[in-house]
Amino acid sequence: MRDLNGGTAPGPSPSGAEAPHDAARGRAKGTVGELGEFGLIRELTSRLTSSTAVRIGPGDDAAVVTAPDRRVVASTDILLEGRHFRRDWSTAYDVGRKAAAQNMADIAAMGAYPTALLLGLIVPVDLPATWPTELMDGIRDEAQVASAAVVGGDVVRGDSVAVSITALGDLRNNEPVTRFGAGAGDVVAVTGWLGWSAAGHAVLTRGFRSPRAFVEAHRRPEPPYHAGPAAAGLGATAMIDVSDGLIADLGHIAEASKVRIDIRSADLDVPAQMSDIGQAVGIDPLQWVLTGGEDHAIVATFPRDQKLPARWRVIGEVLAPSALPHVTVDGAPWTKAGGWDHFSTEPEH
């Protein structure tokens, strides 16, 4: 076992002067086993860029990342092959983009700005060496979308592929927005896509690859990173990213805040093409919008009198707690199945 921060592995300078390899131009040859541990580390770290927050990146015992706020926001997720992704559905680059996105969405949902990512990677020795290098390209490119950088990690031999990302963020002297602050009378608003990843998953499970926009939404979610800090500036009282499904994730806010949240289905966006997919596969597309996860939209509660920019769609309201479930749809319990449970027996998207 050798960590990506280990002293013998070269990495980019703190100034970011070293450019990453182009994915086509810098393709590694052979398998991970043939490349060897240190060869793999060199391939991975040589592809990285840096950012202004990074003082020491890969190449030492640990990275050093600035924390001007003196508070660090941190989150971590694990993706397992066969559980969270399939190599016949997604490229390594797709998996890298997705792994980075879902972690940085958690940082944004606290009202913070992503700054750095750490990668924990388990790979079998017979895995083509192009797979982890293209994975790193995806992680690097998604990090750059949010002005963050990969600063180190660990590589371990295993029987199957597992990708673990730890994301760090900075609040920039603002207070974090948690799940605990929603109050009766607040409105519920969302920005980003809902149900697109679930619709794409439904397409893929039936052996198709189109409509491409929905398949790509499943392979590479595009969280609105800017929306988290922006919502904090607008006075959001509670916030979360939609990773497990809108009802499930609003349920986390409602339970933490000891309130009930009612969603108005008429205010949810169900694109015509999503309706077409639903008709083709026999699923009400509203179910994807309400219970499909992995889009990583940002949903937040705001004071009722707060004027919201056009990118925010008001979809419901916060009510006093009652005997009804924490989250209702059009005033009634949602009785259809949905929402993600990591310990269920079904494979994840």
Side-chain angles (χ1 to χ4, degrees), residues 43-335:
E43 285 288 340
L44 296 180
T45 56
S46 70
R47 310 179 90 83
L48 298 180
T49 57
S50 192
S51 74
T52 57
V54 180
R55 290 293 177 263
I56 300 176
D60 218 308
D61 292 315
V64 177
V65 181
T66 61
D69 184 77
R70 297 189 178 183
R71 296 171 296 177
V72 176
V73 182
S75 179
T76 190
D77 274 306
I78 300 171
L79 280 76
L80 300 177
E81 181 182 3
R83 180 69 172 171
H84 305 101
F85 66 89
R86 286 173 46 170
R87 279 192 271 157
D88 59 331
W89 284 2
S90 300
T91 67
Y93 185 82
D94 292 334
V95 176
R97 296 292 295 253
K98 186 173 187 173
Q102 68 182 39
N103 279 273
M104 294 193 295
D106 285 335
I107 301 299
M110 296 296 292
Y113 298 83
T115 55
L117 302 179
L118 295 160
L119 168 65
L121 180 61
I122 300 174
V123 289
V125 293
D126 61 351
L127 183 72
T130 54
W131 203 94
T133 56
E134 290 172 9
L135 172 86
M136 183 63 93
D137 289 340
I139 296 171
R140 176 203 66 213
D141 288 354
E142 189 64 31
Q144 289 181 323
V145 172
S147 300
V150 182
V151 296
D154 194 15
V155 176
V156 182
R157 171 180 174 171
D159 296 329
S160 61
V161 179
V163 182
S164 175
I165 299 284
T166 297
L168 307 178
D170 183 53
L171 287 163
R172 298 188 185 177
N173 297 319
N174 298 311
E175 289 303 309
V177 183
T178 69
R179 304 176 181 183
F180 296 87
D186 287 349
V187 299
V188 180
V190 66
T191 185
W193 298 346
L194 290 174
W196 285 59
S197 178
H201 179 261
V203 170
L204 287 165
T205 57
R206 286 155 178 83
F208 297 101
R209 296 295 185 269
S210 64
R212 187 172 180 83
F214 293 89
V215 172
E216 288 304 306
H218 171 71
R219 289 171 171 162
R220 299 183 195 175
E222 298 182 6
Y225 302 118
H226 64 280
L234 290 168
T237 53
M239 184 159 51
I240 195 169
D241 77 303
V242 183
S243 57
D244 297 329
L246 181 64
I247 289 177
D249 288 314
L250 282 177
H252 298 320
I253 288 180
E255 184 175 5
S257 299
K258 296 180 172 53
V259 295
R260 178 165 72 88
I261 291 175
D262 187 57
I263 302 169
R264 295 187 296 269
S265 62
D267 292 328
L268 296 169
D269 182 27
V270 182
Q273 201 169 27
M274 185 186 291
S275 296
D276 292 342
I277 298 171
Q279 185 174 7
V281 302
I283 295 176
D284 180 355
L286 185 62
Q287 182 166 339
W288 290 329
V289 173
L290 289 171
T291 67
E294 294 195 327
D295 288 307
H296 301 288
I298 301 290
V299 63
T301 58
F302 296 91
R304 184 172 296 275
D305 58 357
Q306 175 62 52
K307 183 175 176 58
L308 299 177
R311 70 173 64 95
W312 288 93
R313 176 187 291 265
V314 176
I315 60 169
E317 60 183 333
V318 181
L319 305 170
S322 70
L324 290 169
H326 286 304
V327 180
T328 54
V329 180
D330 299 325
W334 178 258
T335 57

